[in-house]
């Protein structure tokens, strides 16, 4: 079997995992999202967060936005990732409400509109957040994450490889996105945990 460190092997695995989650019906997606949010509510990293980042799901990604009413009830400030203009594939995080103006980015994904300086005062760097809920394509029993391959989160979170305060990173996925093992690259930023609709896997532990 070709090593997953090889770029072509990674591309093949990404494609297979994306197909698996896209094969889920709308009902299966909805039920998985409900179970995911029940799992997330159990986490101390979610319970104590005052500033938290979510994402809007695309291409079969599991939906964490069902958590929004619960977060609003707890007066948690919610942020969404925004592609930084003129940057090397990195992210800002912008405060999000139901009335926030949205625009599609270059990938066709909706994000808060920051053109012409709009909402500039509402954006934060990743280090200012308490917890980030991040999408992934694949994960394993050690909470290693396979992303889309663009490196957006790894670049935005590179500061976490140094000493200092850092947010909790919670990867989320469908259970069918779990694989036996993933390689760890030098630029990978480790997750605190990966939560699926069936399990909570913490870094360095098989399962909880």
């Amino acid at each position: 079997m070709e090593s997953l460190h090889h770029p072509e092997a990674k591309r093949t695995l990404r494609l297979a995992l994306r197909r698996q989650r896209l094969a889920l019906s709308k009902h299966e997606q909805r039920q998985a999202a409900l179970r995911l949010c029940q799992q997330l509510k159990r986490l101390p990293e979610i319970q104590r967060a005052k500033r938290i980042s979510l994402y809007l799901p695309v291409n079969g990604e599991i939906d964490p936005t069902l958590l929004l009413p619960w977060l609003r009830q707890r007066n948690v400030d919610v942020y969404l990732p925004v592609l930084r203009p003129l940057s090397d594939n990195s992210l800002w995080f912008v405060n999000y409400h139901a009335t926030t103006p949205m625009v599609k980015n270059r990938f066709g994904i909706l994000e808060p509109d920051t053109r012409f300086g709009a909402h500039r005062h509402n954006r934060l760097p990743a280090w200012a957040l308490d917890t980030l809920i991040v999408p992934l394509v694949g994960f394993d029993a050690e909470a290693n994450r396979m992303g889309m391959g663009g490196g957006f989160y790894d670049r935005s979170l590179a500061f976490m490889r140094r000493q200092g305060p850092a947010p909790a990173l919670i990867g989320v996925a469908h259970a069918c996105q779990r694989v036996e093992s993933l390689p760890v690259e030098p630029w990978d930023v480790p997750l605190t945990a990966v939560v699926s609709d069936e399990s909570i896997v913490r870094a360095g532990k098989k399962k909880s």
Side-chain angles (χ1 to χ4, degrees):
M1 179 180 174
E2 191 173 35
S3 168
L4 282 175
H5 282 283
H6 192 280
E8 188 58 40
K10 278 191 170 183
R11 280 192 291 270
T12 300
L13 180 58
R14 277 196 184 95
L15 182 59
L17 291 171
R18 289 181 68 187
R19 282 175 174 164
Q20 279 183 221
R21 71 187 188 194
L22 281 168
L24 297 170
S25 69
K26 287 186 178 180
H27 176 73
E28 289 170 327
Q29 287 268 3
R30 174 78 178 182
Q31 292 304 307
L34 289 169
R35 290 192 296 269
L36 170 77
C37 289
Q38 291 304 312
Q39 298 267 50
L40 289 172
K41 290 175 186 178
R42 296 169 50 194
L43 297 187
E45 294 88 354
I46 302 293
Q47 293 174 358
R48 63 177 176 242
K50 296 300 180 186
R51 291 176 169 179
I52 192 166
S53 171
L54 302 178
Y55 65 89
L56 302 182
V58 294
N59 299 321
E61 291 172 339
I62 199 164
D63 186 358
T65 64
L66 300 186
L67 201 63
L68 279 168
W70 183 79
L71 293 171
R72 297 298 189 201
Q73 287 175 358
R74 297 167 70 89
N75 296 315
V76 176
D77 290 329
V78 176
Y79 292 78
L80 289 179
V82 172
L83 299 184
R84 290 183 61 178
L86 307 176
S87 76
D88 56 346
N89 287 10
S90 60
L91 303 168
W92 278 324
F93 295 87
V94 176
N95 196 236
Y96 172 72
H97 297 274
T99 57
T100 299
M102 304 292 282
V103 65
K104 286 187 177 180
N105 63 26
R106 67 178 184 267
F107 299 110
I109 300 170
L110 283 173
E111 62 182 27
D113 188 356
T114 57
R115 296 174 298 175
F116 315 116
H119 298 280
R120 180 174 294 172
H121 62 290
N122 288 330
R123 72 187 186 213
L124 293 176
W127 59 260
L129 297 165
D130 298 314
T131 299
L132 283 79
I133 294 176
V134 302
L136 52 83
V137 176
F139 70 102
D140 66 13
E142 301 295 326
N144 295 313
R145 169 184 181 266
M146 173 178 279
M148 283 299 298
F152 289 93
Y153 279 95
D154 286 325
R155 287 185 182 88
S156 304
L157 299 168
F159 68 92
M160 294 184 63
R161 293 198 291 269
R162 303 185 292 271
Q163 292 293 323
L169 301 183
I170 309 298
V172 293
H174 293 284
C176 65
Q177 294 172 247
R178 183 166 172 167
V179 299
E180 185 175 341
S181 181
L182 288 171
V184 179
E185 306 291 357
W187 55 83
D188 288 341
V189 176
L191 299 175
T192 307
V194 176
V195 182
S196 76
D197 47 307
E198 293 184 2
S199 67
I200 298 172
V201 179
R202 289 197 170 271
K205 297 181 180 180
K206 293 293 182 184
K207 189 176 177 180
S208 69

